Amino acid sequence: MTNATTPRGVTILGATGSIGTAALRVMARHRDLFRVSGLTAHSNAALLGEQVAEWRPDFTGLVNGGQGMPAGWASGEEVLVQAASLPSADIVLNAVVGSTGLEATLAALQAGKRVALANKESLVMGGELVMAAARRNHGELVPVDSEHSAILQCLAGRQPSDVRRLIITASGGPFRTWPTQRIAEATLADALNHPTWSMGRKITVDSASLVNKALEVIEAHFLFGVPYDRIEVVVHPQSIVHSMVEFIDGSVVAQLGVPSMELPILYALSYPERLEDDGVARFDPVAAASLTFEAVRTDAFPSFKMGLEAGRAGGVAPAVFNAANEAAVQRFLDGSLTFGGIPRAIDAALSALGDRKLDGIASLRDADRAARSLVQELV
Ligand code: NDP
Ligand code: MG
């Protein structure tokens, strides 16, 4: 850190979620370096209230707030952009779920802030706009996603021209070894039973369908400027190797650690420095014993395949893929769609809307809305 006497202001969008609460645990170990500028949640007023009492932020926003809300809190959809633009925030951790995070990512970058990005959906939806906003305003985009944090760490000090290939690891999710036909009939309980990571419900379902991995390939493409034919995915059930980079001389650098999001969150806050921190269990190679790797069973995970195709197609296709998936996962979570219905919904949306023209953020929001209503009608 450049100046240890002035704590850096951090705003957390989605403070009450899995990533948001992990970030506050990390920050609690480094109160001399970080303070909370703003906190937002969607509906969980009780937990947000506890966080506010502890951290005394300058701004508190509850999207689904209103009457009965504590005095001084803001409410409505606009709280995300308001919190992302706070003058006292140096870093905006975007940890909301879904493409609703896009405008806040853009607003923070436009204000020249560091965005610690967990909300991968905003980058998948608006990759070109987000990267352009970062370049134009000297904003900084630092990934929180563990795979991308790993790649960033592997790349440290290297030129883009040194890179041959990115190798993103995937746990494979709960259906890694299931017969293909059985996966379509998986229940919600099956899908929420993730083998290695404890996360919010939406990303847990995305990990079961491998949509999460397709989103991550698109995320990596934009973050690191690497073409799709040089990004590979490999299944690694232990989730110890968080990703790898192969360089032009054939050497491969990997980043390892116990599966805990506190490590990539800490790195996104401290980057490019490292902070001493004992909060997470240390990695023990002997206890880990064996690290194994397998090919992805692409045919068993049709949504994964469609996500990669949408990424390569570019334009609005990634936004349509993402929105159709968000809508379908919501239906799966509320019991009105089967697991096998998720790829059918994505397929229908991409066929109908995938080759629309990309023309600014309005065209992305239109495609996002159209994909959601198409899935709604389908169900
Ligand atoms: P959670 O569901 O646990 O938390 C989501 C947070 O966003 C909550 O604070 C929630 O508020 C808030 N929120 C939900 N919907 C809205 C909305 N429409 N508008 C504003 N705020 C909203 O999600 P996770 O923490 O698991 O994931 C957050 C993001 O991080 C996702 O993009 C995910 O892909 C990414 N990510 C997560 C990882 C993990 O380990 N969990 C790993 C890598 C990436 P409330 O509590 O009030 O509902
Ligand atoms: Mg990840």
Side-chain angles (χ1 to χ4, degrees), residues 120 145-148 197 199 203 212-213 216 219 261:
K120 64 190 89 184
D145 217 343
S146 57
E147 295 77 2
H148 306 75
W197 293 97
M199 311 178 283
I203 184 174
N212 183 52
K213 221 33 72 173
E216 290 183 353
E219 184 185 7
M261 288 308 295

Side-chain angles (χ1 to χ4, degrees), residues 286-317:
V286 176
S290 70
L291 303 179
T292 60
F293 300 91
E294 312 163 1
V296 183
R297 292 164 56 211
T298 312
D299 293 335
F301 297 96
S303 308
F304 171 71
K305 205 167 162 181
M306 287 187 278
L308 297 190
E309 285 162 8
R312 284 173 189 270
V316 300

Side-chain angles (χ1 to χ4, degrees), residues 92 167 333 360:
V92 174
I167 304 170
L333 288 171

Side-chain angles (χ1 to χ4, degrees), residues 17-100:
S18 167
I19 293 287
T21 52
L24 289 173
R25 283 197 300 276
V26 170
M27 287 173 62
R29 303 198 289 268
H30 301 280
R31 288 181 196 263
D32 51 330
L33 297 175
F34 304 107
R35 64 176 292 272
V36 172
S37 294
L39 294 174
T40 77
H42 185 266
S43 313
N44 192 345
L47 180 54
L48 186 63
E50 288 173 27
Q51 295 174 339
V52 167
E54 181 178 352
W55 291 93
R56 312 229 157 262
D58 307 328
F59 176 92
T60 306
L62 186 64
V63 174
N64 193 16
Q67 284 189 344
M69 209 172 63
W73 289 18
S75 68
E77 303 234 313
E78 56 287 2
V79 299
L80 294 181
V81 168
Q82 286 169 358
S85 318
L86 287 175
S88 66
D90 301 296
I91 303 174
V92 174
L93 170 61
N94 190 345
V96 303
V97 57
S99 64
T100 187

